[in-house]
Amino acid sequence: MNTQPTLTKEGGTTGNAGDSQQSDGLKAGLKNRHLSMIAIGGVIGAGLFVGSGSGIAAAGPAILLSYALVGAMVVFVMRMLGEMAAARPSSGSFSAYADQALGRWAGFTIGWLYWFFWVVVLAVEATAGAVILESWIPAVPQWAWALIVMVVLTATNLASVSSYGEFEFWFAGIKVVAIAAFVVVGFLAVFGVLPGSDNPGAGFAHLSDAGGFFPMGAGAILTGVLMVVFSFMGSEIVTLAAGESEDPQKAVTKATNSVIWRIGVFYLGSIFVVLTLLPWNDKSIVEKGSYVAALDSIGIPHAGQVMNVIVLTAVLSCLNSGLYTASRMAFSLGQRGDAPKAFAKTNKRGVPTAAILSSVVFGFVAVFFNYQWPDTVFAFLLNSSGAVALFVWLVICVTQLRMRGIILRETPEKLVVKMWLFPYLTWATIAMIVFVLGYMIYDGGSAREQVVLSLLVAALVLAVALVKDRFKKATRDEIDA
């Protein structure tokens, strides 16, 4: 049996099942159970718990179609990413693939934009967690809670990749169990068979008894799309983590194949339960939050505190994964010469210390901006990273169009995960993402601001990439001369 690792174009190795050390310095410290829970929990962000009430208020029961449309888009993007990641597992994931398929400028640009997105998310989630913790223990100020949370999770990531995986296993596990229990209990209450339930058990009547299924018009579906699209960000994390797993190809294949039911159960299932337990225009959905309002309607005691615990878990999970993701992207950029060389160095435990600390430092700075200048500097950071999720998905689609040919030409036996109806469905997904970006500009308000500012930041990073490439080329020409 051949036990030699396979050389990738990025310069690392894909490794084999059971390898504990990767040639790029990272260690295969994530177990299959870690990867499975990262894959499942990656699609459950705090935005699902916190932001769904606003979407319901804006579109009514038709918000289900908004979630279904965005969910389908994410499934297609994940299928494309899974195709590439199963063939070439990499800590840089789509950034490394864009580098190979589209050019150094593409890998550099999307890699740094993605890093920027996640370090801003660190500040958002640290603040959200601090708000909840301060409400429980007001003696400790909010800024101190944010600091404590960041320090603890930084220490977790610095310890080893397995400690990150273990923390994420339990964080994600709590989210998964909570949503699954909510769906089961909710459906029992919907049909009036839950013992002791305070809900009248109206069946599916609430889907149409308050102005019909489209109370705000069919156009509200698109408004709903803009409100829910960013709650799906994070599903691609598993493809970065796969590079540090025992069997990357198997992990990616499994995660890709299961994304449909994960989105169906956790997003569509839970929102469907909320809409069948309560009329969509019930004021408590916005005032308390959709899940708290639904639990209150059933008669679950202390529903608000129960949901705060679950939201805090989701926040900590997002912080933990955000720090991991940002650091691994920085590590990959360092490997390719697109970031300081120190970012590509690992310690004896296989941890990229400099990449983690640099991401944390920017995260701390962003937290400071959030407290010092929330409506100016931090608002700019937030809006200028707002559309990055869509940019990343768009680049994944375009990259897959080129990578399919590269994989077939160089390692056809590794094309174990295939995008459906290639290339037609890939082009359809590209059109869908471009349409959403266009509608955000047309819709105006904060959506337009997010796209415009994100485009400006992307243009700036792209300009740096092009100047860097030109400088390198000029230097090579001088040496050759």
Side-chain angles (χ1 to χ4, degrees), residues 223-448:
T223 303
V225 165
L226 302 189
M227 301 183 77
V228 307
V229 66
F230 300 108
S231 65
F232 283 85
M233 192 63 174
S235 53
E236 69 289 330
I237 290 175
V238 68
T239 62
L240 280 83
E244 293 176 82
S245 68
E246 297 166 344
D247 190 345
Q249 191 177 72
K250 181 180 177 181
V252 168
T253 303
K254 186 177 179 181
T256 303
N257 291 336
S258 65
V259 71
I260 297 175
W261 72 260
R262 286 186 276 130
I263 288 175
V265 172
F266 299 131
Y267 278 85
L268 291 175
S270 61
I271 298 299
F272 184 82
V273 166
V274 172
L275 289 167
T276 47
L277 285 174
L278 292 165
W280 70 271
N281 56 357
D282 191 304
K283 292 182 180 179
S284 65
I285 290 178
V286 174
E287 292 172 355
K288 298 179 181 179
S290 57
Y291 290 84
V292 173
L295 291 173
D296 276 343
S297 78
I298 297 172
I300 302 294
H302 310 295
Q305 288 304 323
V306 169
M307 193 50 60
N308 271 342
V309 171
I310 296 169
V311 170
L312 179 62
T313 303
V315 164
L316 295 177
S317 172
C318 191
L319 257 174
N320 194 36
S321 287
L323 181 51
Y324 171 84
T325 305
S327 65
R328 289 332 186 255
M329 186 57 72
F331 171 82
S332 178
L333 288 166
Q335 272 194 318
R336 288 176 272 145
D338 291 334
K341 290 182 180 179
F343 286 10
K345 293 181 179 178
T346 59
N347 60 22
K348 62 182 180 181
R349 297 186 303 278
V351 175
T353 307
I356 291 174
L357 292 178
S358 63
S359 302
V360 171
V361 167
F362 195 96
F364 275 128
V365 171
V367 169
F368 172 75
F369 288 157
N370 195 7
Y371 287 110
Q372 193 68 30
W373 301 290
D375 300 321
T376 52
V377 179
F378 188 72
F380 171 80
L381 289 177
L382 204 58
N383 286 325
S384 60
S385 64
V388 167
L390 290 167
F391 294 170
V392 167
W393 294 344
L394 188 60
V395 167
I396 289 171
C397 295
V398 176
T399 300
Q400 191 260 341
L401 285 172
R402 297 287 301 275
M403 277 297 289
R404 169 68 75 92
I406 294 173
I407 295 169
L408 284 174
R409 186 168 60 250
E410 297 181 359
T411 53
E413 72 282 358
K414 293 195 173 183
L415 194 62
V416 293
V417 176
K418 293 183 180 181
M419 177 58 184
W420 307 295
L421 298 176
F422 178 83
Y424 308 109
L425 204 48
T426 300
W427 280 110
T429 308
I430 290 172
M432 198 185 307
I433 296 171
V434 171
F435 175 79
V436 171
L437 287 167
Y439 190 78
M440 288 176 72
I441 295 173
Y442 169 79
D443 193 58
S446 62
R448 178 184 295 171

Side-chain angles (χ1 to χ4, degrees), residues 182-193 204 269-270 272-273 276-277:
F182 175 80
V183 171
V184 172
V185 171
F187 268 120
L188 292 175
V190 164
F191 293 109
V193 294
F204 300 139
S270 61
F272 184 82
V273 166
T276 47
L277 285 174

Side-chain angles (χ1 to χ4, degrees), residues 139-150:
V140 179
Q142 195 179 114
W143 66 265
W145 278 122
L147 181 65
I148 291 169
V149 166
M150 290 279 279

